[in-house]
Amino acid sequence: MADSNFIDYVKILCRSGKGGAGSRHFHRAKYVPKGGPDGGDGGRGGHIILRGNSHMWTLLPLRYRRHIFAGNGQSGSAGRSFGKDGEDVVVDVPCGTVVFDAETGKYLAEVTFDGQEIKLLKGGRGGLGNWHFKSATNRTPRYAQPGEPAIEKSIILELKVLADVGLVGFPNAGKSTLLSAVSAARPKIADYPFTTMEPQLGIVSYRDNRSFVMADIPGIIEGASEGKGLGLRFLRHIERNAVLLFMVPADSDDIAKDYEVLLNELKQFNPQLLDKHRILAISKSDMLDEELTEELRKTLPEGVPYVFISAVTGQGIQELKDVLWRAVTDDSNRLATVDISHQDLAESHRVKEEDDFIFEYEPTAEEEEEAEDLQSISADSWGADFDYDDDDDQFWDEDVEEEAEDNK
């Protein structure tokens, strides 16, 4: 997977911009020795914005962009000059990207359609200049608001492929063969298990120039929820599918048992998957004669539509397309793909190599100088009348801002 261009899970460090400080300047001119306060406001810090891009299909660009920092707002200056706002950073992601907090695993947001923008981290507000605080009883305010600090957060971006039909089955069940037979996709096919190492998408053509999208994911085995095989990592790609197509080969010892095993693994990953429309396809049916087919019909699970197919000979392929099309176009299934509720990122669903990634970031000389300047600022430098309490954040209280507006 390290050499693959399909990346569906990345961990990055984001930081919004901090707000610029307000100015404590007093107007001075040739014939105006006491012109009063005219310190301008600080600029807003830059936002971190996620934007859906339908032309992207992988998170590969973000794998080599581990640090995303927005610009800081500039400080205000004399003459009520406002500081410049920090530069926003817009990050393009594929449609179907879900955002989690890397520390807690809490679900934060999702990007589902092209052009959708989500403000992931908000930039700090700029501080008000001292001209906001002048009044009849306070003619020379020698204080101004500092800018709000930046927000820094490690996040996990998880891509969930958007498709109409998702293939679920054991390794070597014929999923990749079916996808290659009904679409132009060319997944890897071989006579050993786990040939599919990453999700594959194919557009299936239907009658009257209609089509739907089918997604093939790597095979799952019993105990995948405990980490066996490839685990349940790739099951995220069928959470948004309208229909789940279970594939069990005709030479299976017990088709009903295999179906229940697959269903149980889906339940362990996300119980909501059990609410989706399910169809059972018995692959490799070209090995059966009519008598064996009738015997197998008696052992199939009840309440699940089934089709006997053979991707090699084409047996039952058109019938399968008809069944899938009716299920895909069902309004209830369409709503199920939109109303999915994302759970918090469970420990078993994480990718260890990404979680263990350490952000090695060396601050620039300018950032180090700014940090030293902030440490050197004392309460006395803000004026005797200004007492700023970091714990209570009282200087950012809404009442203070309202009073400043009234004093204008």
Side-chain angles (χ1 to χ4, degrees), residues 49-114:
I49 301 173
L50 295 183
R51 181 175 60 193
N53 188 340
S54 60
H55 298 289
M56 294 180 64
W57 63 280
T58 176
L59 295 172
L60 180 64
L62 293 176
R63 188 164 192 173
Y64 304 102
R65 190 184 176 189
R66 297 292 190 171
H67 306 95
I68 299 178
F69 298 155
N72 295 326
Q74 295 183 359
S75 300
S77 56
R80 298 185 184 179
S81 298
F82 290 5
K84 182 180 178 181
D85 290 343
E87 184 177 359
D88 298 336
V89 176
V90 180
V91 183
D92 285 339
V93 295
C95 299
T97 301
V98 185
V99 188
F100 299 94
D101 189 317
E103 302 298 329
T104 63
K106 184 179 179 181
Y107 164 75
L108 298 178
E110 62 177 327
V111 180
T112 56
F113 57 87
D114 184 52

Side-chain angles (χ1 to χ4, degrees), residues 8-14 50 59 96-111 120-121 153-160 236 239-240 269-270 340-346 349-350 355:
D8 59 353
Y9 186 106
V10 294
K11 177 182 177 182
I12 59 178
L13 178 66
C14 296
L50 295 183
L59 295 172
T97 301
V98 185
V99 188
F100 299 94
D101 189 317
E103 302 298 329
T104 63
K106 184 179 179 181
Y107 164 75
L108 298 178
E110 62 177 327
V111 180
L120 185 61
L121 295 182
K153 185 183 291 293
S154 297
I155 63 171
I156 289 175
L157 298 178
E158 187 179 77
L159 175 61
K160 298 183 179 181
R236 69 171 70 98
E239 282 190 306
R240 289 193 179 279
F269 179 79
N270 186 354
I340 181 173
S341 59
H342 297 281
Q343 299 178 343
D344 292 343
L345 192 62
H349 301 168
R350 289 177 175 265
D355 281 353

